[in-house]
Amino acid sequence: MSDLKRSLSEAAAAAFQAAGLSPDFGRVTASDRPDLADFQCNGALAAAKSAKRNPREIAVQVVDILKTDPRLASVEIAGVGFINMRVSSDALSTRANEIAADPRAGAEPLAAPRRVLVDYAGPNVAKPMHVGHLRASIIGESVKRLYRFRGDDVVGDAHFGDWGFQMGLLISAIMEEDAFIGALLERLVEAPRGFSAADEAKVMAEFAQRVTLEDLDRLYPAASARQKDDPEFKEKARKATAELQNGRFGYRLLWRHFVTISRVALEREFHALGVDFDLWKGESDVQDLIAPMVRQLEVKGLLVDDQGARIVRVARPGETKKKKLPDGSVVEVESPDPLLVVSSEGSAMYGTTDLATILDRRKSFDPHLILYCVDQRQADHFEQVFRASYLAGYAEPGGLEHIGFGTMNGSDGKPFKTRAGGVLKLHDLIEMAREKARERLREAGLGAELSEEAFEDTAHKVGIAALKFADLQNFRGTSYVFDLDRFTSFEGKTGPYLLYQSVRIKSILRKAAEQKVVSGPVVVGEPAERDLTLLLDAFEGALSEAYDKKAPNFIAEHAYKLAQTFSKFYAACPILSADEPAIRASRLALAETTLKQLELALNLLGIEAPERM
């Protein structure tokens, strides 16, 4: 079952080939003048240039062949050789019934599925999520869902930041603040002889009682600021980090407690946002892979000594950029910059962990493709890591891709912050959206008949839809301005508008059930029925575009157009009050199919619609 655009492209390609021209000229697109045609083909112009012939003459040949296609009510030439096609009502009816009967609402699965891993969100131990995590979470979740729906075997990994210097900072700060824990950790340098699982449970219970998530939220920012001006504390934290990574027993137990309480809170926040992961692998999971990997890079001749550090040069011969030196002179240097693998102090770096993570993923999942949904400002870093991976043979060229995104900005055009100038916590942002959704529902007179619990559930779904659709309607590479008043409106191009249209269709279907009206074969006749069927048919094209470009905005755009087109259809074509039973059944089937496809699209965006408002 193929969508009309693809099947008509195949017919046009065959017509061009029959005319002695390349079938590639037969690409068909939705008409940019729907008042004149449903579809158009502009290939005659390109073919004329290639064959040095008159484009209209070529168009005449192609049209003469296409006129025999029973799906087309008319095929006409416009201007110098544009080919306009209008689909017959019978063909549209056939297509509408195919989509209605299809559980996937007209979406085709991939012919050659792949194993794909999506790395997104990037939460950290002891650091509450903030608005900077919002785009990575929303876009990554949608891409994961899209790839899975298309048929790929997909794993979503949170890539948990659970290792590194911040752990040493926290351990040092807690030991100073809590003398009991400090003394306990001093005793637990190594696992004491006879130390049992019950003894370990007692220690973990002590940590749970004395160190809460609120303590971590309070201690980490203070410790991070302190180490900048306190060399002694900074050195203490560095030593604690090294001892943790070398396996000091007490530190490992306390670190495990950090991870547990942080992850519980993070999973709660992510779930509220409609984001869930298959894996919560952290940087700590690849710690044991780093040393052998560094030796392997050395054996391969890829590690180069550089001022006491060890690097991998990833620039190809002749790849350079201009760099301005402190004295004002300009020199040519290699570009991209080398990847720093081992610092001059002998420690592994951020890129080293990323390389080891690629190795770990290769062993555990062996993906054909790894997608990194991370801020666009990290593009240079990923360029270095990917090139080093290809040089080392850890991934096939093209098997690693950074799908970057812009920033969510305030009205000043700068990354969004609180009124006080601080970074807004994601939990607070979600609550802001919920509160605004409650306000909007009451303003619109919606949800008054719901129980308090159902109203709160609806308000949550409206708030999340507002945040997600506001983000996903933009191409991920662009930045956008945060405007909660506009995002939560039930009018215009917003998530709440889509939810309202979904709930409206559900209400129609409930009334139909009460009146014992059942759906039947779709018969397309009225212009509004044609327009709705053509939109339903365009779902596959929107999915293909979103999949190829890793860009959910194509799905968001389709969902919005579908909701708009249904609204126009409903105004022009009465469903339950239609005179003839066959027409009622046909239009009800169109309503059911629209709801099915709209909810599929919303689900791919990570948006859940309520049953009532």
Side-chain angles (χ1 to χ4, degrees), residues 487-521:
F487 297 165
T488 53
S489 174
F490 282 100
E491 297 178 355
K493 195 175 184 179
T494 68
Y497 169 77
L498 294 180
L499 296 193
Y500 178 75
Q501 293 298 338
S502 171
V503 169
R504 186 187 194 187
I505 300 173
K506 291 177 181 180
S507 176
I508 295 168
L509 299 185
R510 280 195 299 272
K511 289 178 182 176
E514 291 168 4
Q515 297 175 23
K516 302 193 183 317
V517 178
V518 295
S519 58

PDB file of all heavy atoms in Angstrom, residues 487-521:
ATOM      1  N   PHE A 487       2.078  29.609  23.936  1.00  0.00           N
ATOM      2  CA  PHE A 487       2.160  28.152  23.809  1.00  0.00           C
ATOM      3  C   PHE A 487       0.917  27.456  24.358  1.00  0.00           C
ATOM      4  O   PHE A 487       0.546  26.388  23.878  1.00  0.00           O
ATOM      5  CB  PHE A 487       3.377  27.604  24.562  1.00  0.00           C
ATOM      6  CG  PHE A 487       4.709  28.075  24.045  1.00  0.00           C
ATOM      7  CD1 PHE A 487       5.862  27.907  24.809  1.00  0.00           C
ATOM      8  CD2 PHE A 487       4.825  28.690  22.808  1.00  0.00           C
ATOM      9  CE1 PHE A 487       7.088  28.335  24.346  1.00  0.00           C
ATOM     10  CE2 PHE A 487       6.051  29.126  22.336  1.00  0.00           C
ATOM     11  CZ  PHE A 487       7.192  28.951  23.109  1.00  0.00           C
ATOM     12  N   THR A 488       0.291  28.039  25.397  1.00  0.00           N
ATOM     13  CA  THR A 488      -0.834  27.362  26.057  1.00  0.00           C
ATOM     14  C   THR A 488      -2.192  27.776  25.508  1.00  0.00           C
ATOM     15  O   THR A 488      -3.225  27.358  26.033  1.00  0.00           O
ATOM     16  CB  THR A 488      -0.806  27.646  27.575  1.00  0.00           C
ATOM     17  OG1 THR A 488      -0.743  29.062  27.788  1.00  0.00           O
ATOM     18  CG2 THR A 488       0.385  26.973  28.238  1.00  0.00           C
ATOM     19  N   SER A 489      -2.218  28.567  24.455  1.00  0.00           N
ATOM     20  CA  SER A 489      -3.491  28.988  23.868  1.00  0.00           C
ATOM     21  C   SER A 489      -4.176  27.809  23.187  1.00  0.00           C
ATOM     22  O   SER A 489      -3.523  26.933  22.616  1.00  0.00           O
ATOM     23  CB  SER A 489      -3.255  30.105  22.848  1.00  0.00           C
ATOM     24  OG  SER A 489      -4.453  30.421  22.171  1.00  0.00           O
ATOM     25  N   PHE A 490      -5.508  27.794  23.236  1.00  0.00           N
ATOM     26  CA  PHE A 490      -6.280  26.774  22.529  1.00  0.00           C
ATOM     27  C   PHE A 490      -6.574  27.206  21.092  1.00  0.00           C
ATOM     28  O   PHE A 490      -7.311  26.521  20.379  1.00  0.00           O
ATOM     29  CB  PHE A 490      -7.589  26.481  23.261  1.00  0.00           C
ATOM     30  CG  PHE A 490      -7.403  25.588  24.455  1.00  0.00           C
ATOM     31  CD1 PHE A 490      -7.351  26.119  25.740  1.00  0.00           C
ATOM     32  CD2 PHE A 490      -7.249  24.226  24.300  1.00  0.00           C
ATOM     33  CE1 PHE A 490      -7.178  25.304  26.836  1.00  0.00           C
ATOM     34  CE2 PHE A 490      -7.071  23.392  25.396  1.00  0.00           C
ATOM     35  CZ  PHE A 490      -7.029  23.927  26.671  1.00  0.00           C
ATOM     36  N   GLU A 491      -6.005  28.312  20.671  1.00  0.00           N
ATOM     37  CA  GLU A 491      -6.165  28.789  19.302  1.00  0.00           C
ATOM     38  C   GLU A 491      -4.789  28.942  18.662  1.00  0.00           C
ATOM     39  O   GLU A 491      -3.817  29.258  19.329  1.00  0.00           O
ATOM     40  CB  GLU A 491      -6.894  30.142  19.278  1.00  0.00           C
ATOM     41  CG  GLU A 491      -8.316  30.074  19.832  1.00  0.00           C
ATOM     42  CD  GLU A 491      -8.986  31.433  19.842  1.00  0.00           C
ATOM     43  OE1 GLU A 491      -8.308  32.431  19.517  1.00  0.00           O
ATOM     44  OE2 GLU A 491     -10.170  31.503  20.188  1.00  0.00           O
ATOM     45  N   GLY A 492      -4.731  28.737  17.371  1.00  0.00           N
ATOM     46  CA  GLY A 492      -3.467  28.890  16.663  1.00  0.00           C
ATOM     47  C   GLY A 492      -2.671  27.604  16.642  1.00  0.00           C
ATOM     48  O   GLY A 492      -3.151  26.524  17.017  1.00  0.00           O
ATOM     49  N   LYS A 493      -1.438  27.720  16.238  1.00  0.00           N
ATOM     50  CA  LYS A 493      -0.576  26.554  16.052  1.00  0.00           C
ATOM     51  C   LYS A 493       0.075  26.185  17.385  1.00  0.00           C
ATOM     52  O   LYS A 493       1.229  26.519  17.662  1.00  0.00           O
ATOM     53  CB  LYS A 493       0.489  26.869  14.992  1.00  0.00           C
ATOM     54  CG  LYS A 493       1.218  25.655  14.443  1.00  0.00           C
ATOM     55  CD  LYS A 493       2.138  26.093  13.317  1.00  0.00           C
ATOM     56  CE  LYS A 493       2.819  24.897  12.680  1.00  0.00           C
ATOM     57  NZ  LYS A 493       3.712  25.304  11.567  1.00  0.00           N
ATOM     58  N   THR A 494      -0.684  25.456  18.218  1.00  0.00           N
ATOM     59  CA  THR A 494      -0.200  25.101  19.553  1.00  0.00           C
ATOM     60  C   THR A 494      -0.565  23.657  19.884  1.00  0.00           C
ATOM     61  O   THR A 494      -1.468  23.068  19.283  1.00  0.00           O
ATOM     62  CB  THR A 494      -0.832  26.002  20.635  1.00  0.00           C
ATOM     63  OG1 THR A 494      -2.236  25.691  20.733  1.00  0.00           O
ATOM     64  CG2 THR A 494      -0.638  27.479  20.326  1.00  0.00           C
ATOM     65  N   GLY A 495       0.109  23.115  20.887  1.00  0.00           N
ATOM     66  CA  GLY A 495      -0.225  21.784  21.363  1.00  0.00           C
ATOM     67  C   GLY A 495      -1.635  21.699  21.927  1.00  0.00           C
ATOM     68  O   GLY A 495      -2.368  20.753  21.623  1.00  0.00           O
ATOM     69  N   PRO A 496      -2.065  22.668  22.766  1.00  0.00           N
ATOM     70  CA  PRO A 496      -3.441  22.610  23.276  1.00  0.00           C
ATOM     71  C   PRO A 496      -4.493  22.627  22.179  1.00  0.00           C
ATOM     72  O   PRO A 496      -5.542  21.967  22.308  1.00  0.00           O
ATOM     73  CB  PRO A 496      -3.522  23.869  24.157  1.00  0.00           C
ATOM     74  CG  PRO A 496      -2.132  24.058  24.653  1.00  0.00           C
ATOM     75  CD  PRO A 496      -1.261  23.668  23.499  1.00  0.00           C
ATOM     76  N   TYR A 497      -4.247  23.342  21.073  1.00  0.00           N
ATOM     77  CA  TYR A 497      -5.204  23.333  19.960  1.00  0.00           C
ATOM     78  C   TYR A 497      -5.350  21.914  19.397  1.00  0.00           C
ATOM     79  O   TYR A 497      -6.461  21.450  19.112  1.00  0.00           O
ATOM     80  CB  TYR A 497      -4.744  24.289  18.857  1.00  0.00           C
ATOM     81  CG  TYR A 497      -5.525  24.143  17.568  1.00  0.00           C
ATOM     82  CD1 TYR A 497      -6.803  24.677  17.431  1.00  0.00           C
ATOM     83  CD2 TYR A 497      -4.978  23.455  16.481  1.00  0.00           C
ATOM     84  CE1 TYR A 497      -7.526  24.524  16.246  1.00  0.00           C
ATOM     85  CE2 TYR A 497      -5.683  23.296  15.296  1.00  0.00           C
ATOM     86  CZ  TYR A 497      -6.957  23.839  15.188  1.00  0.00           C
ATOM     87  OH  TYR A 497      -7.666  23.684  14.022  1.00  0.00           O
ATOM     88  N   LEU A 498      -4.236  21.210  19.255  1.00  0.00           N
ATOM     89  CA  LEU A 498      -4.287  19.838  18.726  1.00  0.00           C
ATOM     90  C   LEU A 498      -5.035  18.915  19.693  1.00  0.00           C
ATOM     91  O   LEU A 498      -5.813  18.055  19.259  1.00  0.00           O
ATOM     92  CB  LEU A 498      -2.875  19.317  18.488  1.00  0.00           C
ATOM     93  CG  LEU A 498      -2.064  20.022  17.405  1.00  0.00           C
ATOM     94  CD1 LEU A 498      -0.687  19.395  17.279  1.00  0.00           C
ATOM     95  CD2 LEU A 498      -2.780  19.973  16.064  1.00  0.00           C
ATOM     96  N   LEU A 499      -4.797  19.092  20.990  1.00  0.00           N
ATOM     97  CA  LEU A 499      -5.513  18.270  21.958  1.00  0.00           C
ATOM     98  C   LEU A 499      -7.013  18.554  21.901  1.00  0.00           C
ATOM     99  O   LEU A 499      -7.831  17.630  21.991  1.00  0.00           O
ATOM    100  CB  LEU A 499      -4.996  18.535  23.380  1.00  0.00           C
ATOM    101  CG  LEU A 499      -3.542  18.167  23.678  1.00  0.00           C
ATOM    102  CD1 LEU A 499      -3.299  18.193  25.184  1.00  0.00           C
ATOM    103  CD2 LEU A 499      -3.171  16.806  23.113  1.00  0.00           C
ATOM    104  N   TYR A 500      -7.364  19.827  21.755  1.00  0.00           N
ATOM    105  CA  TYR A 500      -8.778  20.195  21.691  1.00  0.00           C
ATOM    106  C   TYR A 500      -9.450  19.529  20.492  1.00  0.00           C
ATOM    107  O   TYR A 500     -10.564  18.999  20.600  1.00  0.00           O
ATOM    108  CB  TYR A 500      -8.937  21.708  21.607  1.00  0.00           C
ATOM    109  CG  TYR A 500     -10.377  22.149  21.484  1.00  0.00           C
ATOM    110  CD1 TYR A 500     -11.231  22.110  22.580  1.00  0.00           C
ATOM    111  CD2 TYR A 500     -10.888  22.560  20.249  1.00  0.00           C
ATOM    112  CE1 TYR A 500     -12.560  22.487  22.466  1.00  0.00           C
ATOM    113  CE2 TYR A 500     -12.224  22.940  20.120  1.00  0.00           C
ATOM    114  CZ  TYR A 500     -13.051  22.901  21.231  1.00  0.00           C
ATOM    115  OH  TYR A 500     -14.370  23.260  21.114  1.00  0.00           O
ATOM    116  N   GLN A 501      -8.796  19.546  19.340  1.00  0.00           N
ATOM    117  CA  GLN A 501      -9.370  18.919  18.144  1.00  0.00           C
ATOM    118  C   GLN A 501      -9.489  17.401  18.330  1.00  0.00           C
ATOM    119  O   GLN A 501     -10.464  16.783  17.892  1.00  0.00           O
ATOM    120  CB  GLN A 501      -8.524  19.237  16.915  1.00  0.00           C
ATOM    121  CG  GLN A 501      -8.545  20.699  16.500  1.00  0.00           C
ATOM    122  CD  GLN A 501      -9.946  21.170  16.123  1.00  0.00           C
ATOM    123  OE1 GLN A 501     -10.822  20.394  15.775  1.00  0.00           O
ATOM    124  NE2 GLN A 501     -10.170  22.484  16.204  1.00  0.00           N
ATOM    125  N   SER A 502      -8.509  16.802  18.980  1.00  0.00           N
ATOM    126  CA  SER A 502      -8.569  15.365  19.253  1.00  0.00           C
ATOM    127  C   SER A 502      -9.758  15.032  20.157  1.00  0.00           C
ATOM    128  O   SER A 502     -10.527  14.100  19.887  1.00  0.00           O
ATOM    129  CB  SER A 502      -7.255  14.921  19.914  1.00  0.00           C
ATOM    130  OG  SER A 502      -7.338  13.604  20.368  1.00  0.00           O
ATOM    131  N   VAL A 503      -9.913  15.804  21.231  1.00  0.00           N
ATOM    132  CA  VAL A 503     -11.029  15.591  22.165  1.00  0.00           C
ATOM    133  C   VAL A 503     -12.369  15.840  21.473  1.00  0.00           C
ATOM    134  O   VAL A 503     -13.363  15.142  21.729  1.00  0.00           O
ATOM    135  CB  VAL A 503     -10.860  16.498  23.403  1.00  0.00           C
ATOM    136  CG1 VAL A 503     -12.129  16.516  24.255  1.00  0.00           C
ATOM    137  CG2 VAL A 503      -9.671  16.038  24.229  1.00  0.00           C
ATOM    138  N   ARG A 504     -12.390  16.803  20.579  1.00  0.00           N
ATOM    139  CA  ARG A 504     -13.617  17.110  19.824  1.00  0.00           C
ATOM    140  C   ARG A 504     -14.043  15.906  18.989  1.00  0.00           C
ATOM    141  O   ARG A 504     -15.238  15.551  18.942  1.00  0.00           O
ATOM    142  CB  ARG A 504     -13.338  18.317  18.919  1.00  0.00           C
ATOM    143  CG  ARG A 504     -14.538  18.861  18.175  1.00  0.00           C
ATOM    144  CD  ARG A 504     -14.043  19.919  17.217  1.00  0.00           C
ATOM    145  NE  ARG A 504     -15.106  20.738  16.679  1.00  0.00           N
ATOM    146  CZ  ARG A 504     -14.927  21.647  15.721  1.00  0.00           C
ATOM    147  NH1 ARG A 504     -13.720  21.849  15.216  1.00  0.00           N
ATOM    148  NH2 ARG A 504     -15.934  22.358  15.274  1.00  0.00           N
ATOM    149  N   ILE A 505     -13.096  15.260  18.323  1.00  0.00           N
ATOM    150  CA  ILE A 505     -13.437  14.081  17.510  1.00  0.00           C
ATOM    151  C   ILE A 505     -13.909  12.947  18.416  1.00  0.00           C
ATOM    152  O   ILE A 505     -14.876  12.242  18.097  1.00  0.00           O
ATOM    153  CB  ILE A 505     -12.236  13.629  16.658  1.00  0.00           C
ATOM    154  CG1 ILE A 505     -11.784  14.756  15.711  1.00  0.00           C
ATOM    155  CG2 ILE A 505     -12.605  12.396  15.835  1.00  0.00           C
ATOM    156  CD1 ILE A 505     -10.505  14.445  14.954  1.00  0.00           C
ATOM    157  N   LYS A 506     -13.265  12.789  19.557  1.00  0.00           N
ATOM    158  CA  LYS A 506     -13.695  11.739  20.492  1.00  0.00           C
ATOM    159  C   LYS A 506     -15.131  11.973  20.947  1.00  0.00           C
ATOM    160  O   LYS A 506     -15.907  11.018  21.112  1.00  0.00           O
ATOM    161  CB  LYS A 506     -12.753  11.695  21.695  1.00  0.00           C
ATOM    162  CG  LYS A 506     -11.353  11.184  21.367  1.00  0.00           C
ATOM    163  CD  LYS A 506     -10.447  11.226  22.583  1.00  0.00           C
ATOM    164  CE  LYS A 506      -9.051  10.748  22.238  1.00  0.00           C
ATOM    165  NZ  LYS A 506      -8.138  10.784  23.388  1.00  0.00           N
ATOM    166  N   SER A 507     -15.478  13.224  21.150  1.00  0.00           N
ATOM    167  CA  SER A 507     -16.847  13.559  21.547  1.00  0.00           C
ATOM    168  C   SER A 507     -17.842  13.174  20.445  1.00  0.00           C
ATOM    169  O   SER A 507     -18.920  12.623  20.722  1.00  0.00           O
ATOM    170  CB  SER A 507     -16.957  15.052  21.853  1.00  0.00           C
ATOM    171  OG  SER A 507     -18.272  15.422  22.148  1.00  0.00           O
ATOM    172  N   ILE A 508     -17.472  13.434  19.188  1.00  0.00           N
ATOM    173  CA  ILE A 508     -18.329  13.065  18.058  1.00  0.00           C
ATOM    174  C   ILE A 508     -18.529  11.550  18.017  1.00  0.00           C
ATOM    175  O   ILE A 508     -19.646  11.056  17.817  1.00  0.00           O
ATOM    176  CB  ILE A 508     -17.712  13.553  16.724  1.00  0.00           C
ATOM    177  CG1 ILE A 508     -17.679  15.087  16.680  1.00  0.00           C
ATOM    178  CG2 ILE A 508     -18.471  13.001  15.523  1.00  0.00           C
ATOM    179  CD1 ILE A 508     -16.825  15.647  15.551  1.00  0.00           C
ATOM    180  N   LEU A 509     -17.435  10.815  18.234  1.00  0.00           N
ATOM    181  CA  LEU A 509     -17.522   9.354  18.183  1.00  0.00           C
ATOM    182  C   LEU A 509     -18.376   8.807  19.330  1.00  0.00           C
ATOM    183  O   LEU A 509     -19.096   7.819  19.157  1.00  0.00           O
ATOM    184  CB  LEU A 509     -16.116   8.744  18.220  1.00  0.00           C
ATOM    185  CG  LEU A 509     -15.174   9.133  17.071  1.00  0.00           C
ATOM    186  CD1 LEU A 509     -13.861   8.368  17.159  1.00  0.00           C
ATOM    187  CD2 LEU A 509     -15.821   8.912  15.710  1.00  0.00           C
ATOM    188  N   ARG A 510     -18.291   9.443  20.502  1.00  0.00           N
ATOM    189  CA  ARG A 510     -19.144   9.003  21.611  1.00  0.00           C
ATOM    190  C   ARG A 510     -20.626   9.227  21.286  1.00  0.00           C
ATOM    191  O   ARG A 510     -21.472   8.374  21.554  1.00  0.00           O
ATOM    192  CB  ARG A 510     -18.763   9.746  22.892  1.00  0.00           C
ATOM    193  CG  ARG A 510     -17.529   9.193  23.595  1.00  0.00           C
ATOM    194  CD  ARG A 510     -17.411   9.705  25.014  1.00  0.00           C
ATOM    195  NE  ARG A 510     -17.281  11.150  25.078  1.00  0.00           N
ATOM    196  CZ  ARG A 510     -16.117  11.805  25.019  1.00  0.00           C
ATOM    197  NH1 ARG A 510     -14.988  11.123  24.900  1.00  0.00           N
ATOM    198  NH2 ARG A 510     -16.077  13.123  25.086  1.00  0.00           N
ATOM    199  N   LYS A 511     -20.925  10.397  20.704  1.00  0.00           N
ATOM    200  CA  LYS A 511     -22.319  10.679  20.325  1.00  0.00           C
ATOM    201  C   LYS A 511     -22.811   9.697  19.262  1.00  0.00           C
ATOM    202  O   LYS A 511     -23.963   9.259  19.292  1.00  0.00           O
ATOM    203  CB  LYS A 511     -22.435  12.118  19.807  1.00  0.00           C
ATOM    204  CG  LYS A 511     -22.287  13.170  20.894  1.00  0.00           C
ATOM    205  CD  LYS A 511     -22.354  14.571  20.315  1.00  0.00           C
ATOM    206  CE  LYS A 511     -22.152  15.629  21.398  1.00  0.00           C
ATOM    207  NZ  LYS A 511     -22.113  17.005  20.847  1.00  0.00           N
ATOM    208  N   ALA A 512     -21.921   9.351  18.338  1.00  0.00           N
ATOM    209  CA  ALA A 512     -22.287   8.381  17.302  1.00  0.00           C
ATOM    210  C   ALA A 512     -22.636   7.036  17.936  1.00  0.00           C
ATOM    211  O   ALA A 512     -23.610   6.373  17.538  1.00  0.00           O
ATOM    212  CB  ALA A 512     -21.144   8.221  16.302  1.00  0.00           C
ATOM    213  N   ALA A 513     -21.839   6.633  18.926  1.00  0.00           N
ATOM    214  CA  ALA A 513     -22.095   5.356  19.602  1.00  0.00           C
ATOM    215  C   ALA A 513     -23.432   5.402  20.331  1.00  0.00           C
ATOM    216  O   ALA A 513     -24.198   4.423  20.326  1.00  0.00           O
ATOM    217  CB  ALA A 513     -20.953   5.046  20.567  1.00  0.00           C
ATOM    218  N   GLU A 514     -23.728   6.546  20.976  1.00  0.00           N
ATOM    219  CA  GLU A 514     -25.008   6.691  21.678  1.00  0.00           C
ATOM    220  C   GLU A 514     -26.187   6.602  20.715  1.00  0.00           C
ATOM    221  O   GLU A 514     -27.241   6.055  21.044  1.00  0.00           O
ATOM    222  CB  GLU A 514     -25.040   8.035  22.411  1.00  0.00           C
ATOM    223  CG  GLU A 514     -24.088   8.118  23.597  1.00  0.00           C
ATOM    224  CD  GLU A 514     -23.933   9.540  24.113  1.00  0.00           C
ATOM    225  OE1 GLU A 514     -24.632  10.444  23.584  1.00  0.00           O
ATOM    226  OE2 GLU A 514     -23.112   9.758  25.019  1.00  0.00           O
ATOM    227  N   GLN A 515     -25.981   7.155  19.496  1.00  0.00           N
ATOM    228  CA  GLN A 515     -27.054   7.146  18.495  1.00  0.00           C
ATOM    229  C   GLN A 515     -27.032   5.886  17.636  1.00  0.00           C
ATOM    230  O   GLN A 515     -27.795   5.757  16.685  1.00  0.00           O
ATOM    231  CB  GLN A 515     -26.940   8.394  17.609  1.00  0.00           C
ATOM    232  CG  GLN A 515     -27.121   9.704  18.363  1.00  0.00           C
ATOM    233  CD  GLN A 515     -26.893  10.919  17.483  1.00  0.00           C
ATOM    234  OE1 GLN A 515     -27.006  10.837  16.246  1.00  0.00           O
ATOM    235  NE2 GLN A 515     -26.569  12.062  18.088  1.00  0.00           N
ATOM    236  N   LYS A 516     -26.092   4.987  17.969  1.00  0.00           N
ATOM    237  CA  LYS A 516     -25.945   3.712  17.245  1.00  0.00           C
ATOM    238  C   LYS A 516     -25.631   3.916  15.766  1.00  0.00           C
ATOM    239  O   LYS A 516     -26.072   3.149  14.907  1.00  0.00           O
ATOM    240  CB  LYS A 516     -27.189   2.831  17.428  1.00  0.00           C
ATOM    241  CG  LYS A 516     -27.509   2.525  18.890  1.00  0.00           C
ATOM    242  CD  LYS A 516     -28.530   1.424  18.999  1.00  0.00           C
ATOM    243  CE  LYS A 516     -28.929   1.158  20.440  1.00  0.00           C
ATOM    244  NZ  LYS A 516     -27.844   1.131  21.396  1.00  0.00           N
ATOM    245  N   VAL A 517     -24.892   4.987  15.479  1.00  0.00           N
ATOM    246  CA  VAL A 517     -24.396   5.220  14.115  1.00  0.00           C
ATOM    247  C   VAL A 517     -23.041   4.544  13.995  1.00  0.00           C
ATOM    248  O   VAL A 517     -22.164   4.744  14.840  1.00  0.00           O
ATOM    249  CB  VAL A 517     -24.251   6.730  13.815  1.00  0.00           C
ATOM    250  CG1 VAL A 517     -23.696   6.942  12.413  1.00  0.00           C
ATOM    251  CG2 VAL A 517     -25.587   7.435  13.980  1.00  0.00           C
ATOM    252  N   VAL A 518     -22.868   3.722  12.969  1.00  0.00           N
ATOM    253  CA  VAL A 518     -21.595   3.023  12.780  1.00  0.00           C
ATOM    254  C   VAL A 518     -20.962   3.482  11.475  1.00  0.00           C
ATOM    255  O   VAL A 518     -21.642   3.888  10.541  1.00  0.00           O
ATOM    256  CB  VAL A 518     -21.783   1.488  12.772  1.00  0.00           C
ATOM    257  CG1 VAL A 518     -22.253   1.006  14.130  1.00  0.00           C
ATOM    258  CG2 VAL A 518     -22.759   1.069  11.678  1.00  0.00           C
ATOM    259  N   SER A 519     -19.638   3.401  11.452  1.00  0.00           N
ATOM    260  CA  SER A 519     -18.916   3.833  10.248  1.00  0.00           C
ATOM    261  C   SER A 519     -19.049   2.797   9.151  1.00  0.00           C
ATOM    262  O   SER A 519     -19.319   1.613   9.402  1.00  0.00           O
ATOM    263  CB  SER A 519     -17.447   4.063  10.578  1.00  0.00           C
ATOM    264  OG  SER A 519     -16.868   2.889  11.112  1.00  0.00           O
ATOM    265  N   GLY A 520     -18.836   3.232   7.923  1.00  0.00           N
ATOM    266  CA  GLY A 520     -18.929   2.349   6.764  1.00  0.00           C
ATOM    267  C   GLY A 520     -17.919   2.769   5.712  1.00  0.00           C
ATOM    268  O   GLY A 520     -17.023   3.581   5.984  1.00  0.00           O
ATOM    269  N   PRO A 521     -18.040   2.256   4.498  1.00  0.00           N
ATOM    270  CA  PRO A 521     -17.091   2.605   3.439  1.00  0.00           C
ATOM    271  C   PRO A 521     -17.068   4.112   3.181  1.00  0.00           C
ATOM    272  O   PRO A 521     -18.104   4.775   3.194  1.00  0.00           O
ATOM    273  CB  PRO A 521     -17.629   1.837   2.219  1.00  0.00           C
ATOM    274  CG  PRO A 521     -18.467   0.752   2.793  1.00  0.00           C
ATOM    275  CD  PRO A 521     -19.059   1.291   4.048  1.00  0.00           C
TER     276      PRO A 521
END
